[in-house]
Amino acid sequence: MPEPTATATATLVAATATVPALTVLGIPLGLRADLLIAGFAGSLAAIVLLNSVPSLGDTWQLLVKTSVKRMAVACVSSITAGYMTPLAMLLAQVPEPLLLSMAFVVGAGAQRWLVKLMRRYQPGPEGGQGQQREEGAP
């Protein structure tokens, strides 16, 4: 018969090795906190270094509007990184130790990719889906 403390220690070590998924109101979201944080850091790097959400002006109303837009973009990029990083790793055949680095890259690039997807599948002003307007066309 094994010692009770030995099994409790093994269970505790196994429980700390896994990253728990986030839940809201008892519903598991399937998001890992470490991927969300890495994606959030990537989105902040894109906002600050690449100026992906440029400032609209210098009045306090425009500064508040820009700040709210930047917070929304950072949250959406973080959630996109949380859900899309495992798929991106599978498609790019990236090894598992680079998981957080890949989440950072996905979080940084999510802003551009989401805009491209929205332009591709959102109906244009003419009502057609996926139509691209040419440069210089009215």
Side-chain angles (χ1 to χ4, degrees):
M1 179 169 165
E3 293 290 323
T5 57
T7 58
T9 305
T11 305
L12 182 63
V13 169
T16 58
T18 62
V19 178
L22 296 179
T23 60
V24 172
L25 300 173
I27 301 169
L29 298 178
L31 291 169
R32 292 177 41 183
D34 57 346
L35 295 180
L36 289 175
I37 293 171
F40 184 75
S43 68
L44 290 182
I47 288 171
V48 172
L49 298 176
L50 303 177
N51 198 23
S52 61
V53 184
S55 179
L56 301 173
D58 60 351
T59 64
W60 70 270
Q61 292 100 344
L62 293 175
L63 290 174
V64 168
K65 187 176 181 178
T66 301
S67 298
V68 169
K69 186 175 179 181
R70 286 178 177 167
M71 287 188 292
V73 165
C75 289
V76 169
S77 295
S78 177
I79 292 171
T80 302
Y83 280 122
M84 298 305 290
T85 298
L87 177 63
M89 288 187 63
L90 181 66
L91 293 175
Q93 298 176 352
V94 176
E96 185 70 25
L98 297 177
L99 178 69
L100 296 179
S101 301
M102 191 70 170
F104 183 89
V105 170
V106 171
Q111 300 161 20
R112 304 285 184 193
W113 297 331
L114 290 174
V115 168
K116 285 182 183 179
L117 281 175
M118 286 180 3
R119 286 187 181 152
R120 182 174 179 182
Y121 294 111
Q122 184 177 5
E126 294 83 21
Q129 192 170 8
Q131 294 179 355
Q132 298 282 337
R133 294 182 65 170
E134 294 182 17
E135 297 282 328

